[in-house]
Structure formats: structure tokens, C-alpha cells
Amino acid sequence: MQTIPARRRTLRLPSPTVPRADYESACTARDVARGLYERQTLALHQRSVELLNANDEIHRLRLKMAAHGIDPDARP
């Protein structure tokens, strides 16, 4: 099995017939995909937190309306 140096560690090529450039391209593609996944996951988490905060605010306002004798389910 052939080894190549890359990014402070030695990588082992899966086969001596795999060209180095193809393997490095696959590694780069994997790293890009991982970065996109992490950014999308973070964005989804932030949107989820915003939604939970909005729901908490709605609940707080409904309780405040009920405390003042206003029916929160009444249509204007």
C-alpha cells in the first residue's frame, strides 16, 4: 500500500492503482461536504432556537392576556 504525506499526517491510499490526485480530490470533496453539513446543522439549530423562543413569547403573552381577563382565543 502506497502512502502520501498530507496535512501533517500520512494518508494511506486505498490501492496502489488509485492516482494520488484522485484520492486528494476525494478527500477535498469530503472536507467540503463535512463543512457544509456542519454549517447547515448550525443554521438549523439556530432557527430551532429562534422558533422555541418565539413560542415561549407567544405563551407568555397569552398568559398575560388571560391574567387581564382577555380571552386569548377570541377572534377580533
Side-chain angles (χ1 to χ4, degrees):
M1 182 176 282
Q2 180 185 5
T3 61
I4 57 172
R7 288 195 224 141
R8 292 181 247 140
R9 70 182 194 269
T10 300
L11 295 177
R12 294 184 187 271
L13 292 177
S15 155
T17 60
V18 175
R20 177 181 177 151
D22 290 351
Y23 185 75
E24 288 175 346
S25 293
C27 290
T28 300
R30 179 201 61 212
D31 293 343
V32 168
R34 183 179 291 146
L36 287 173
Y37 174 79
E38 288 172 357
R39 284 193 296 278
Q40 290 172 351
T41 301
L42 179 60
L44 178 61
H45 174 71
Q46 289 170 342
R47 286 193 299 269
S48 296
V49 169
E50 290 170 2
L51 179 60
L52 287 171
N53 288 338
N55 284 337
D56 287 346
E57 181 68 9
I58 290 169
H59 182 68
R60 186 187 68 76
L61 291 173
R62 289 175 61 85
L63 290 175
K64 191 172 184 180
M65 288 174 70
H68 285 88
I70 302 169
D71 181 11
D73 295 320
R75 299 280 179 201

